[in-house]
Amino acid sequence: MAEKSSITDLMLAIRSVSLPNVFNPWRDYDELDVTGPNGGGPVGRCARLSLHFQRKPRFLLIGEAPGYQGCHFSGVAFTNERLMVDGKVPDLRWNRFTTRDKPWSEPSATVVWGTLHDLGIAAEVVMWNAFGWHPHKPGDLRSNRTPTASELRAGLPVLKAVVDHFVGAVVIAVGTKARDTLSHLGVFYSGHVRHPSMGGANEFRAGMRKIVEADGRVRQMPTENAK
């Protein structure tokens, strides 16, 4: 078994990544970031991700890559500013961290956290991505694109470190890109669910419910030595 990295080591590795046309939320500034001790920017995003990583999760969700409406500003995968301001993310209620008129809201993040709350596991989940940083079109931070094969390879060491850090959690691949990347790493994942984007919300919800219910049955099974 690989040695478990500390959260400090994980954050150092995450912050060190620098690639063309890729925004590193935990190192780079955006012109819409609130400044100050309680604000956004890389300092705020590092604080939020560090708090998220302090959980001892039952489930580890791995998506594809951050988007500009979500993790780009929040610093946590599948999570947007609106969810944090509204207190929908356990342990991560936060004041505004962008200067945008309205808090950023991302459809996929809204579906994911709504599902986690419906299933009663919102406080038992940690999230990351197959490629952990925000890939964007050249010169346009307010855009999303699929990470390239070379970018996915560059992110593999951090992905492996995150999975190893949360050893014991049920790993769930959200979307085919996450599934294929985890398989390439040789990481055992207990389930693969449809990504909630592009009309996949209902399939995502159904897939998550199936995995959570199956895990509940496994955890309730008596051990061999049970009296």
Side-chain angles (χ1 to χ4, degrees):
M1 182 182 297
E3 183 179 352
K4 179 177 176 178
S5 299
S6 68
I7 293 177
T8 299
D9 290 339
L10 280 178
M11 294 306 303
L12 286 172
I14 289 166
R15 293 184 68 235
S16 71
V17 171
S18 178
L19 295 166
N21 301 314
V22 171
F23 181 85
N24 185 328
W26 307 278
R27 187 204 62 206
D28 300 335
Y29 285 90
D30 188 289
E31 63 181 8
L32 294 181
D33 287 333
V34 169
T35 58
N38 299 319
V43 173
R45 288 187 279 272
C46 283
R48 291 188 285 275
L49 184 60
S50 294
L51 285 171
H52 186 61
F53 277 177
Q54 287 175 23
R55 291 183 175 186
K56 293 179 172 57
R58 177 179 164 193
F59 300 98
L60 176 61
L61 265 63
I62 304 295
E64 179 179 307
Y68 74 90
Q69 296 171 301
C71 184
H72 176 107
F73 287 106
S74 73
V76 178
F78 287 121
T79 305
N80 60 52
E81 185 180 22
R82 167 61 71 187
L83 288 165
M84 288 186 171
V85 170
D86 289 349
K88 299 296 179 63
V89 183
D91 307 322
L92 279 175
R93 187 181 184 105
W94 218 270
N95 294 326
R96 290 294 308 274
F97 43 81
T98 74
T99 59
R100 190 171 183 261
D101 288 344
K102 296 180 179 179
W104 285 102
S105 183
E106 183 183 57
S108 291
T110 302
V111 172
V112 168
W113 279 102
T115 303
L116 299 183
H117 281 286
D118 288 345
L119 295 173
I121 59 169
E124 301 179 275
V125 176
V126 162
M127 296 179 282
W128 187 246
N129 284 296
F131 182 70
W133 306 267
H134 172 216
H136 58 82
K137 296 174 184 177
D140 185 5
L141 287 180
R142 306 290 179 269
S143 65
N144 297 322
R145 62 174 175 81
T146 301
T148 65
S150 62
E151 288 168 343
L152 286 165
R153 285 194 297 272
L156 288 178
V158 171
L159 173 60
K160 185 65 163 60
V162 170
V163 172
D164 288 342
H165 182 82
F166 296 107
V167 63
V170 175
V171 180
I172 301 174
V174 182
T176 55
K177 191 71 68 176
R179 178 198 64 194
D180 295 346
T181 305
L182 289 169
S183 297
H184 178 76
L185 265 181
V187 171
F188 174 78
Y189 55 89
S190 296
H192 166 230
V193 298
R194 170 77 184 269
H195 196 283
S197 65
M198 305 296 288
N202 287 336
E203 289 182 55
F204 170 80
R205 295 185 187 104
M208 284 295 300
R209 181 171 296 279
K210 184 176 179 180
I211 291 171
V212 171
E213 289 178 349
D215 180 70
R217 288 192 294 270
V218 168
R219 290 172 188 263
Q220 289 170 10
M221 288 177 62
T223 63
E224 212 174 285
N225 298 322
K227 299 292 185 182

